[in-house]
Structure formats: structure tokens, C-alpha cells
């Protein structure tokens, strides 16, 4: 039986177009946008794009993307170009050559094109740092260009469409994809594409001026005389290839019709048994036919079985863009669970000019047989029978433990028998990057995790774009947390690799349902796969809870302020600070207050989140109409600024502290209780320290001084924001008999003791159970420093990645030593 190769290039034969070659020889023009190239550009515009706009030939699609992006953004300056994970490497490479940092995001689970939700979240999160959107028309599928035009207007962002596989894609009326688009749409004419030449590309745009600028850029930047007036390179299409393109255009309708019949036969034969892109409204140019294998099927054995049946098979795009080594070194990569699943299960089936519907049916029959073969069921690698340590949560706190170990060269020793369980698709980032605020830690603090780290894989991150983005804020009052998230994720990626390379395991996309301590002293941990809901049990000697904190709604019901229930004081005007501080939170506040000319806002709490909330309300754009005293901060404890030394405090005339307020280790004043960076500046103004003037829009009210006035302020506010701190998001802990083990945190106390051991309700440490992270309730002591007067808990990434993390690591390694003995 005839073999069906995955791709069978079928460009026009030059020997059949002798007249075109003789024309080129007579003209004496072999490049430089000669008559053959111009003839093709005009004919393509007329026949493929309905005569709209203009088109430009270039030597290949990668060069086309490069000059289109360079023209769109000018000097990239390290700004971001958003692109999907499911695309070819050239998309990221073109952006990088244009001076942009690729920002790789997830794809839509239905049609496999760029996730609209992911794009819009990134635009909100990164704002003007995003210079361009570079969506890919995945496998030739048309995407909504009107939506991209709207995004360009709304966010002031440039758009370049990677349509490498889409020449021949049409709408229901037969008009070519991209016709008249307000931005460049770049098509490939590589020999493997449906519009097969040998090499080449076509750029189409509704704006003729854009096309003429790109023409000059493709010709060394020569806009007129042989003198560069624009950034340029040599991207011209040779006349011989233009002649082939003209010949292909003449027969292209027949080529597309034949391919469409094969594609339709594939869809009919599949009959819903495999996940595929939805059938298009018009025509989709397909260079091959992509589909997803069922869960649990071994792709490599399927490919081998098809090959034995005489059928070529590929796996575009696997590895996807976010999994490729060079991209991981230069790009910022968002969690991509959909692309990860697609990349792991996608296969590409042959679809060529010479195939028939019967060939497609033969391919699917062979695929059905391969997938039904019992021997190719995927074998899932089991976790260790007894893990030494299981970390519940791979966010900033969970991975801080690993970072602490790496900074002391101990991660290879900790990794064997280690299991990390994380709900997200990646470890490291957690929820930190979703906050639209500035950190209360400096850029240098975040960079200490990678600078000088003895693990070369981690220290190399100092040159990664995410680290450089954080480093740009070294002299600023903190770092926007949206910039911190990518650094934490890429660090988490390196930690992930080190752990698995040294015998550990990282389970992303999983959650711990409950942990139970048996009478043998071991922990039984129930773990759920979020994709399938399947559960399995993992036994562990030690468990570290790093699940973060949250602001539970039931706390609002029980909370009393100035002697009255908060929900009664502000029943329909109440938000929690976490809702305000996350991306989109300020916009939510603005929407709630839109109809109020001079809104009054009450912020309740004396924590960093309360001060950060006020800072966001003051500087958010477009600005809220805040008059004098529009925001009132209601707090119980005095507001304290942090100082690096007693002398620094005295130099500013601040003397509201005593010996117990000075850290004996560092000499810092209010090391733990004091506000830092942006929140500190706001407090210093409120307290009029060193002749600072308060912001007239902010007023202070200490609740204990006048509770009646506090109730009056809340009652008169148009919006009340509760910044009451966080409670631990603890995993259910069970006794030997399965009954709940009550913890101190369940009774309103701290989750952990001074050694980071989880406490039960009686205050006793639970053997083999540790906690770290937001709302754990840890208070530094001894060599960790801190002022004696401090009341509360200390949180901070630096603490977790250093002394606090090492406190747990030392106990875990000591436990292993005892076990070995």
C-alpha cells in the first residue's frame, strides 16, 4: 500500500514554467522587488484579499514577523510581546530579534488559539509594558481580527498576526483571512505549506503606508535613494521564487478544494472520537490534520504503529513554545495547563495535495487500531512508597523552603524522597503575581534568591528577563507584584528540575484533600488529580503545609468594630482588601463609586494590606474623585514606621520608640511592626514626621479613642474595605480514626510555634507536621531578631527563603539522619 508521508511538498515545477524563467532572464532583474514579485503582490491582493489593502513579498515568514514587529514597536527596550504557547519557535525568535521579551501565555481549550482571557488578564496586569500582541492563527484557523483591533485601541498596544499556516484560509464568503486588517498579517509560503513555493512569505495589511514602510525595511531600510532611513535588513524575495508563487496562485483554488475534501473526510471518519479544532465557518488551510489522542494513550507507540502501517505522523507543537530550552532562557512564561495537555497528546496526521478521502479514512482506521491496542496504555510512574517529606503547596512559601536549601547547597540532599503537591500548572508563583500593587520588599530582596546562589541553574537567572524586570526597581519603593510573579515562576521551574533530577517528585495540577497521622507515626496523604478527579494515597514521614492565607467571608460575619457587628454597620457596602488589591480590583471600586460625586471610603485595619489599599486608591487611574478626608483609615494600634537605625529615626525627629522597639540583632527600629517602602511613606506623612505634610485626602481615626465616631464614619461611608489580615488556608488534618484533629489555627491562634511546627488546639506540636507562609503566625526569635514589643506574626519572602525556611530544612534533614541511624 502506498506510503502516506506526513508532509509532501508539491510546489509548481520550474520546468513547467519556462516562460516565466525566460522573462526573468530578459529583464535582468533577479531580486529587489522585480516585476515577478510585484505581479504576484498585486494578484494576491486582488484574488486572495478581495482587492483590499496591499501585500508585500519577503524571503520568509520569520523575517516578515521581524520587520513587522520592529515597525510596530520601534525600540523594544525589553518590553513584552504576548504570544501563545502553541506556536512555532519563530514567533518568539522574531520578537526577540525585534528587541522584545516574549511573554508566553496559554491557549483556548476549544479551538487551540490564544486564550482571550489570558491575553486580557496580561494586558490588565502589565499595562504599558506590553508592546505587542502576536497571536498565532493556529494550524491555519481564522481568529477574530476585529477583537484584536479593539484590544489595540483600548490598550494602546500593537498587533502583528502570525498567520504562517493560513494562506488559503477564508471566511464563509470566500474572502481570505486577514483581508484589509489594520495591522500586518504574515503568511508563510514555505514548501510544506498549502501555498507551497520553495521559501517565501507574504505580508498583507489594509494600510498601504504600512506595507511601503515594510518594503523599505526589507530592502536595508532604503526608502528612496540608497541611503537607510529606517531600520532594515535584506528580506527580499528572489524573482525565481516569485515566479513559482505566481504559478501556485493560478492553481491554488484547485489545491485548496482538494485539501478541503480530505479534511472533511478526516472529520467524518473521526466522528467525535478524538478532540479536534471545531470545523471552520469558511475554509481552513491545513498543512496536516491535528488532533488530540485520548488520555492515557502512549503517543510514541501510536506514532510507531502508524509508521509501521505506512503512515507518517508528527506532533506539532510538542514541545510547545514554553517548553523549549532557549525560549525558557529569554522569555517570561505564564502557566499553560491547556497547552501542556495539548502538547503532550497532540498528533499531526498527513494531509497533502495528492491525498484522497479514502486515504483519510485509512489513516483514522489505523489510528483507531493503534489507540485500541492494550500494550500502548501509558504506564504512570508511581510516587515513592514512603516519601521522606511531602510539601502541600508549591507557591512562594513552599518553594521558599527549596530556595533556602539551594542557597546552602542542600537541595540535592533534601530532594530524594521529596514530593511537592501544587494545584497550579507550575510551582513558584502562587497567587502573588495577581496583585496590582507594589511590594513591601525591595527589588534586592527578591533577587537574593538567585544572586550568588550556589546552584548554577538558579544563579544563571540573574540574566533572565524576569530578573532584569525586577532589577529595574532597585531604587524604587518596592516592586510591582506583577513583575515578581514571573521571577518566582521561573525560579520555581529551576527548582522543579533540580528536585526531579535528584530523585524528588513534583505533582502539579494536584491538590491534597486531607492528611491523616497513623499510629505508626507516618502520614497518609490523600491527593486528587484536578484534571480527572482521581485520588491516590501517598505515605510520608513529614508534611510541610504551605497553602497560603485567605480572607474568609465568615470572618466578616463574626467581626465586631467599635462594639458593633461589621456586617450590620455596612451590610451592602463592604469589600475585603484582597478583592481591591488584586488585578481588576481598583476598576471594581471605580465601578461601584461611579455615580457618586464625592465618595467616602472607610478602610478598617492597621496592617500593611490596609495601607497598601489606601495607596492603590490614591494613585489608581483613572483617578477617583477624592476630596479632602475622602478616605478614613480606622485602626486600633499605633502606626509605626520602620527605620534602619536609631540614628536614622532621630535624624528625622522620630522618637516614639523605646528599647523594646529596637531589634537587638540588626539595630532596626520597629523591624517587624514598622511599615516599609510605599506604606511607610504614607505613614510618615500621616504622622507629619520630619515636617512632612499629610495627604489631605486621607484621615486617621483610632477606634479605641472614640468608638461612636468610628461607627459614624463607617455608617457614612459609600464603601467600607475590611483589611483584617489573613487566616491560614490549612489542609484538613485527621487523627488515626479519621476524626478531625483540631489545630490552634482553628481556634484563632497561630498555626505554628517558634520552630515552625504545627500546633494542635491544646498548643502541643504535632510530630512531623510543619507550616510556613502567609498567616502561619510565625514570630522571629533568637538569631532571627525582631523587637521584644512585637505582637502579631511576621511574613516575608526573604524570611521564608532564608532563616525560616532553613529552620524547617534543618529539622527535616535531622529527621532523615535519625531514620538512617
Amino acid at each position: 500500500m502506498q506510503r502516506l508521508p506526513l508532509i509532501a511538498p508539491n510546489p509548481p515545477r520550474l520546468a513547467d514554467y519556462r516562460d516565466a524563467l525566460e522573462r526573468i532572464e530578459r529583464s535582468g532583474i533577479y531580486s529587489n522587488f522585480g516585476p515577478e514579485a510585484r505581479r504576484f503582490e498585486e494578484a494576491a491582493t486582488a484574488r486572495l484579499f478581495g482587492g483590499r489593502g496591499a501585500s508585500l513579498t519577503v524571503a520568509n515568514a520569520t523575517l516578515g514577523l521581524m520587520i513587522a514587529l520592529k515597525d510596530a514597536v520601534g525600540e523594544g527596550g525589553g518590553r513584552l510581546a504576548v504570544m501563545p504557547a502553541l506556536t512555532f519557535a519563530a514567533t518568539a525568535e522574531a520578537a526577540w530579534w525585534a528587541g522584545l521579551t516574549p511573554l508566553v501565555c496559554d491557549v483556548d481549550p476549544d479551538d487551540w488559539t490564544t486564550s482571550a482571557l489570558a491575553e486580557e488578564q496580561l494586558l490588565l496586569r502589565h499595562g504599558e509594558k506590553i508592546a505587542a500582541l502576536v497571536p498565532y492563527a493556529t494550524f491555519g484557523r481564522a481568529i477574530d481580527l476585529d477583537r484584536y483591533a479593539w484590544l489595540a485601541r483600548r490598550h494602546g498596544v500593537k498587533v502583528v498576526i502570525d498567520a504562517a499556516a493560513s494562506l488559503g484560509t477564508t471566511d464563509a464568503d470566500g474572502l481570505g483571512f486577514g483581508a484589509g486588517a489594520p495591522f500586518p498579517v504574515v503568511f508563510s509560503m514555505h514548501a510544506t505549506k498549502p501555498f507551497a513555493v520553495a521559501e517565501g512569505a507574504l505580508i498583507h495589511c489594509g494600510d498601504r503606508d504600512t506595507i511601503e514602510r515594510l518594503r523599505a525595511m526589507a530592502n536595508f531600510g532604503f526608502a528612496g535613494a540608497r541611503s537607510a532611513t529606517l531600520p532594515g535588513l535584506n528580506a527580499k524575495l528572489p524573482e525565481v521564487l516569485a515566479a513559482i508563487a505566481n504559478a501556485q496562485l493560478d492553481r491554488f483554488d484547485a489545491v485548496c478544494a482538494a485539501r478541503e475534501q480530505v479534511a472533511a473526510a478526516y472529520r467524518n471518519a473521526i466522528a467525535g472520537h478524538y478532540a479536534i479544532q471545531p470545523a471552520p465557518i469558511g475554509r481552513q488551510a491545513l498543512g496536516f490534520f491535528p488532533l488530540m489522542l485520548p488520555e492515557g494513550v502512549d503517543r510514541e507507540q501510536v506514532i510507531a504503529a502508524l509508521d509501521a502501517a505506512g503512515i507518517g505522523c508528527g506532533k506539532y507543537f510538542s514541545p510547545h513554545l514554553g517548553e523549549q530550552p532557549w525560549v525558557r532562557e529569554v522569555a517570561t512564561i505564564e502557566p499553560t495547563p491547556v497547552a501542556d495537555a495539548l502538547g503532550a497528546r497532540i498528533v499531526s496526521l498527513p494531509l497533502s495535495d495528492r491525498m484522497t478521502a479514502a486515504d483519510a479514512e485509512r489513516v483514522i482506521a489505523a489510528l483507531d487500531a493503534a489507540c485500541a491496542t492494550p500494550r500502548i496504555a501509558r504506564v504512570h510512574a508511581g510516587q515513592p512508597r514512603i516519601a521522606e517529606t511531602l510539601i502541600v503547596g508549591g507557591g512562594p512559601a513552599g518553594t521558599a523552603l527549596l530556595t533556602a536549601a539551594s542557597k546552602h547547597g542542600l537541595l540535592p540532599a533534601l530532594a530524594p524522597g521529596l514530593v511537592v503537591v501544587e494545584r497550579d500548572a507550575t510551582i513558584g508563583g502562587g497567587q502573588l503575581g495577581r496583585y496590582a500593587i507594589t511590594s513591601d520588599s525591595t527589588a534586592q530582596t527578591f533577587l537574593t534568591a538567585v544572586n550568588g546562589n550556589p546552584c548554577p541553574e538558579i544563579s544563571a537567572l540573574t540574566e533572565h528577563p524576569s530578573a532584569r524586570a525586577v532589577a529595574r526597581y532597585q531604587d524604587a519603593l518596592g516592586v510591582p507584584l506583577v513583575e515578581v510573579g514571573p521571577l518566582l515562576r521561573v525560579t520555581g521551574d529551576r527548582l522543579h528540575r533540580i528536585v526531579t533530577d535528584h530523585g524528588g517528585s513534583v505533582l502539579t495540577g494536584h491538590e491534597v484533600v486531607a492528611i491523616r497521622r497513623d499510629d505508626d507515626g507516618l502520614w497518609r496523604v490523600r491527593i486528587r488529580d484536578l484534571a480527572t478527579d482521581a485520588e491516590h494515597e501517598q505515605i510520608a514521614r513529614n508534611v510541610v503545609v504551605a497553602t497560603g492565607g485567605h480572607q474568609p467571608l465568615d470572618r466578616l460575619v463574626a467581626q465586631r468594630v467599635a462594639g458593633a457587628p461589621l456586617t450590620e454597620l455596612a451590610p451592602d457596602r463592604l469589600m475585603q482588601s484582597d478583592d481591591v488589591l488584586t488585578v481588576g480590583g481598583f476598576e471594581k471600586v471605580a465601578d461601584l463609586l461611579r455615580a457618586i460625586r464625592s465618595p467616602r471610603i472607610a478602610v478598617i485595619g492597621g496592617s500593611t494590606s490596609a495601607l497598601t489599599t489606601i495607596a492603590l486608591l490614591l494613585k489608581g487611574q483613572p483617578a477617583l474623585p477624592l476630596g479632602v478626608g475622602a478616605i478614613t483609615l480606622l485602626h486600633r494600634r499605633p502606626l509605626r514606621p520602620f527605620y534602619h537605625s536609631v540614628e536614622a529615626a532621630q535624624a528625622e525627629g522620630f522618637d516614639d520608640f523605646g528599647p523594646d522597639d529596637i531589634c537587638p540583632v540588626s539595630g532596626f527600629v520597629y523591624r517587624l511592626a514598622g511599615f516599609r517602602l510605599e506604606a511607610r511613606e504614607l505613614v510618615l506623612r500621616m504622622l507629619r514626621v520630619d515636617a512632612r505634610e499629610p495627604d489631605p485626602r486621607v484621615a486617621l481615626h483610632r477606634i479605641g479613642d472614640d468608638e461612636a465616631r468610628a461607627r459614624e464614619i463607617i455608617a457614612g461611608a459609600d464603601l467600607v474595605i475590611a483589611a483584617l489580615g489573613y487566616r491560614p488556608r490549612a489542609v484538613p488534618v485527621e487523627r488515626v480514626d479519621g476524626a478531625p484533629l483540631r489545630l490552634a489555627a482553628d481556634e484563632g491562634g497561630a498555626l505554628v510555634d517558634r520552630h515552625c511546627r504545627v500546633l494542635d488546639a491544646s498548643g502541643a506540636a504535632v510530630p512531623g507536621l510543619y507550616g510556613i507562609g502567609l498567616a502561619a503566625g510565625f514570630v522571629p526569635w533568637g538569631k532571627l531578631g525582631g523587637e521584644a514589643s512585637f505582637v502579631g506574626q511576621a511574613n516575608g519572602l526573604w524570611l521564608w527563603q532564608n532563616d525560616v525556611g532553613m529552620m524547617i530544612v534543618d529539622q527535616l534533614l535531622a529527621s532523615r539522619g535519625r531514620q538512617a541511624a
Side-chain angles (χ1 to χ4, degrees), residues 465-478:
S466 60
R468 291 200 300 267
V470 171
R472 284 196 288 269
Y473 294 90
Q474 288 197 20
D475 297 322
L477 293 177

Side-chain angles (χ1 to χ4, degrees), residues 29-35 37-38 215 218-220 226 234 236-239:
I29 301 174
Y30 296 90
S31 185
N32 293 352
F33 301 115
R38 294 284 191 166
R215 186 183 303 281
N219 186 28
F220 306 103
R226 293 176 65 82
N234 185 3
K236 302 183 294 294
L237 185 73
E239 283 287 89

Side-chain angles (χ1 to χ4, degrees), residues 438-442 446 478-479 481 608 612 676-679 795:
T438 300
S439 70
D440 62 351
S441 298
T442 64
F446 291 112
V479 186
L481 290 181
T608 295
T612 304
R676 301 187 181 221
L677 300 176
E678 191 173 45
N795 289 304

Side-chain angles (χ1 to χ4, degrees), residues 144-451:
D144 186 354
L145 299 187
D146 289 339
R147 174 178 165 272
Y148 282 104
W150 176 80
L151 289 174
R153 293 191 300 270
R154 178 179 177 84
H155 296 279
V157 67
K158 302 298 183 181
V159 176
V160 173
I161 305 295
D162 182 348
S166 302
L167 201 54
T169 293
T170 67
D171 62 17
D173 298 323
L175 189 64
F177 170 66
F183 30 66
V185 184
V186 183
F187 303 91
S188 174
M189 301 189 299
H190 190 270
T192 58
K193 297 293 188 290
F195 196 99
V197 182
E199 183 64 276
L202 189 71
I203 306 176
H204 176 76
C205 183
D207 180 37
R208 292 177 177 272
D209 290 341
T210 295
I211 290 295
E212 290 311 307
R213 281 198 312 276
L214 296 178
R215 186 183 303 281
M217 293 176 71
N219 186 28
F220 306 103
F222 296 164
R226 293 176 65 82
S227 177
T229 59
L230 295 167
L233 42 73
N234 185 3
K236 302 183 294 294
L237 185 73
E239 283 287 89
V240 171
L241 297 182
I244 299 177
N246 278 310
Q248 181 70 308
L249 188 60
D250 289 336
R251 65 176 196 168
F252 194 46
D253 284 342
V255 168
C256 289
R259 284 175 169 263
E260 184 60 22
Q261 288 182 358
V262 179
Y266 267 126
R267 295 186 185 102
N268 290 334
I270 284 170
H273 295 154
Y274 303 96
I276 61 174
Q277 288 181 298
I281 296 174
R283 181 179 68 203
Q284 181 175 351
L286 284 167
F288 45 77
F289 196 89
L291 57 75
M292 271 185 81
L293 294 174
E295 178 69 34
V297 169
D298 189 307
R299 179 172 59 184
E300 296 307 318
Q301 293 192 40
V302 166
I303 293 173
L306 291 178
D307 183 68
I311 298 167
C313 187
K315 44 187 181 183
Y316 295 95
F317 295 102
S318 178
H320 66 62
L321 192 63
E323 296 170 330
Q324 297 178 27
W326 176 81
V327 178
R328 298 185 79 87
E329 293 297 326
V330 303
T332 295
I333 300 172
E334 289 288 301
T336 56
V338 178
D340 295 346
L342 275 166
R345 294 163 53 193
I346 203 164
V347 294
S348 311
L349 303 177
L351 199 167
S352 65
D353 296 357
R354 299 186 180 93
M355 282 180 62
T356 66
D359 291 327
E361 292 166 0
R362 170 192 161 194
V363 172
I364 296 303
L367 180 65
D368 288 343
C371 289
T373 305
R375 66 183 175 83
I376 67 170
R378 177 179 294 152
V379 178
H380 291 278
Q383 303 308 311
R385 190 179 71 84
I386 299 179
E388 290 293 334
T389 301
L390 186 142
I391 300 177
V392 186
T399 51
L401 193 73
L402 307 180
T403 299
S406 75
K407 293 176 73 171
H408 289 78
L410 294 174
L411 188 52
L414 182 68
L418 176 68
V419 177
V420 180
V421 183
E422 168 57 31
R423 290 180 54 89
D424 285 347
T426 58
I427 66 170
Q431 301 299 306
L432 200 64
R434 72 188 182 97
Y435 286 95
I437 57 175
T438 300
S439 70
D440 62 351
S441 298
T442 64
Q444 293 88 328
T445 297
F446 291 112
L447 293 171
T448 56
V450 297
N451 289 340

Side-chain angles (χ1 to χ4, degrees), residues 63-86:
L63 290 171
L65 288 170
M66 287 166 58
I67 61 173
L69 283 166
K70 190 66 174 176
D71 177 65
V73 304
E75 296 300 320
R79 289 198 295 161
L80 302 169
V82 178
M83 60 192 64
L86 207 67

Side-chain angles (χ1 to χ4, degrees), residues 432-662:
L432 200 64
R434 72 188 182 97
Y435 286 95
I437 57 175
T438 300
S439 70
D440 62 351
S441 298
T442 64
Q444 293 88 328
T445 297
F446 291 112
L447 293 171
T448 56
V450 297
N451 289 340
N453 193 298
C455 290
E457 304 98 315
I458 298 178
S459 62
L461 290 176
T462 55
E463 297 304 318
H464 191 275
S466 60
R468 291 200 300 267
V470 171
R472 284 196 288 269
Y473 294 90
Q474 288 197 20
D475 297 322
L477 293 177
V479 186
L481 290 181
V482 295
E483 302 282 16
V484 175
L487 176 60
L488 294 181
R489 283 194 295 275
V490 74
T491 305
D493 175 68
R494 303 299 168 88
L495 293 168
H496 184 152
R497 291 190 218 172
I498 296 169
V499 167
T500 54
D501 286 349
H502 288 85
S505 177
V506 178
L507 295 179
T508 55
H510 289 71
E511 68 177 359
V512 171
V513 178
I515 59 175
R516 185 181 77 250
R517 185 169 177 83
D518 279 354
D519 51 12
D520 58 5
L522 298 174
W523 291 96
R524 265 67 179 177
V525 183
R526 280 182 23 231
I527 302 173
R528 177 187 297 137
D529 184 331
L530 296 176
T532 65
D533 278 337
E535 292 187 6
H536 73 276
E537 184 178 78
Q538 173 67 63
I539 303 174
R541 300 188 193 281
N542 299 286
V543 173
V544 180
V545 178
T547 48
H550 67 139
Q551 294 181 334
L553 288 173
D554 57 2
R555 185 175 181 183
L556 292 182
V557 177
Q559 186 68 37
R560 297 178 70 85
V561 176
L566 183 56
T567 52
E568 291 182 11
L569 291 172
D572 55 354
R573 299 165 285 117
L574 188 58
M575 290 181 70
Q576 298 210 75
S577 58
D578 209 55
D579 293 329
V580 180
L581 298 176
T582 50
V583 172
F586 177 80
E587 288 75 12
K588 187 185 299 184
V589 169
D591 187 60
L592 289 171
L593 301 177
R594 179 172 294 133
I596 303 173
R597 178 172 294 181
S598 299
R600 314 290 290 186
I601 302 171
V603 178
I604 302 173
S607 64
T608 295
S609 59
L611 271 295
T612 304
T613 296
I614 293 176
L616 179 64
L617 296 175
L618 293 175
K619 68 181 182 181
Q621 294 295 325
L624 298 173
L626 302 176
V628 174
I631 301 173
T632 301
L633 175 66
L634 296 102
H635 61 103
R636 294 187 184 278
R637 297 176 185 167
L639 303 178
R640 305 299 197 191
F642 165 83
Y643 279 97
H644 280 98
S645 66
V646 170
E647 293 76 18
Q650 292 173 341
E652 288 198 343
F654 182 78
D655 57 7
D656 189 11
F657 60 91
D660 285 349
D661 302 318
I662 303 169

Side-chain angles (χ1 to χ4, degrees), residues 641-720:
F642 165 83
Y643 279 97
H644 280 98
S645 66
V646 170
E647 293 76 18
Q650 292 173 341
E652 288 198 343
F654 182 78
D655 57 7
D656 189 11
F657 60 91
D660 285 349
D661 302 318
I662 303 169
C663 171
V665 173
S666 64
F668 295 165
V669 178
Y670 294 121
R671 176 182 174 184
L672 301 179
F675 291 102
R676 301 187 181 221
L677 300 176
E678 191 173 45
R680 176 180 183 271
E681 288 301 309
L682 194 56
V683 167
L684 289 173
R685 292 187 65 183
M686 291 175 177
L687 299 180
R688 298 179 181 270
V689 174
D690 199 26
R692 290 175 172 87
E693 285 296 321
D695 189 310
R697 297 170 293 177
V698 182
L700 298 179
H701 182 82
R702 194 165 176 185
I703 295 173
D705 293 344
D706 188 342
E707 293 198 343
R709 176 57 184 155
R711 292 192 294 272
E712 182 182 316
I713 291 169
I714 296 172
D718 300 296
L719 179 66
V720 178

